[in-house]
């Protein structure tokens, strides 16, 4: 059984460990409300997000989960101030998502795409049992 994990660009850029398809990682997973990702990735894809990877607080006391990364896509979208907003906070603009498969290493930095900004990664992974004597790769 696979699960889908959201990884924020800023978390990776700050102190995330690079990872790639096939790697075994150890991530702190936080449950998500898929509704929080609808504007970013669309309703259907948001429904499939099971967790977000967290290493900046909020996950204290949660044990890291060993996972084998099956696949990774970069998520890019356009940001803008929503119509009728009273503040000037930029939010994802629905319907502008561009997904780019990651062939190499996901390191928090992505090639610029015209008209959109890099937002993070969606990783498909499966839980694995890691023997005590085996280290966890990259993550």
């Amino acid at each position: 059984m696979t699960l889908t994990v959201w990884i924020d660009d800023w978390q990776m850029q700050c102190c995330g460990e690079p990872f790639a398809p096939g790697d075994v990682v150890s991530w702190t997973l936080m449950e998500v409300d898929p509704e929080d990702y609808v504007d970013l990735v669309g309703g259907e894809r948001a429904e499939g997000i099971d967790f977000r990877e967290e290493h900046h607080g909020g996950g204290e006391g949660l044990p890291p989960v060993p996972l084998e990364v099956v696949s990774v896509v970069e998520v890019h979208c356009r940001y803008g101030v929503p119509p009728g907003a009273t503040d000037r906070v930029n939010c994802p603009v629905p319907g502008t998502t561009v997904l780019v498969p990651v062939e190499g290493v996901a390191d928090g930095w992505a090639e610029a795409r015209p008209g959109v900004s890099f937002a993070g990664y969606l990783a498909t992974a499966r839980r694995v049992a890691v023997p005590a004597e085996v280290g966890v790769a990259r993550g």
Side-chain angles (χ1 to χ4, degrees), residues 41-119:
V41 298
E44 187 175 325
R45 184 163 267 111
E47 282 298 319
I49 300 174
D50 301 296
F51 299 97
R52 67 181 169 87
E53 189 273 336
E54 177 63 55
H55 55 264
H56 281 97
E60 293 87 9
L62 293 174
V65 177
L67 302 165
E68 178 186 4
V69 177
V70 175
S71 64
V72 184
V73 294
E74 297 171 359
V75 177
H76 302 256
C77 69
R78 192 163 41 92
Y79 287 88
V81 177
T86 57
D87 55 15
R88 303 291 304 163
V89 176
N90 281 327
C91 299
V93 175
T96 64
T97 303
V98 175
L99 301 176
V100 180
V102 174
E103 301 296 327
V105 175
D107 63 2
W109 304 97
E111 183 180 326
R113 304 282 170 186
V116 292
S117 299
F118 176 56

Side-chain angles (χ1 to χ4, degrees), residues 4-15:
T4 301
V5 180
W6 172 259
I7 302 109
D8 286 304
D9 61 340
W10 65 269
Q11 290 221 34
M12 282 296 296
Q13 293 165 358
C14 171
C15 52

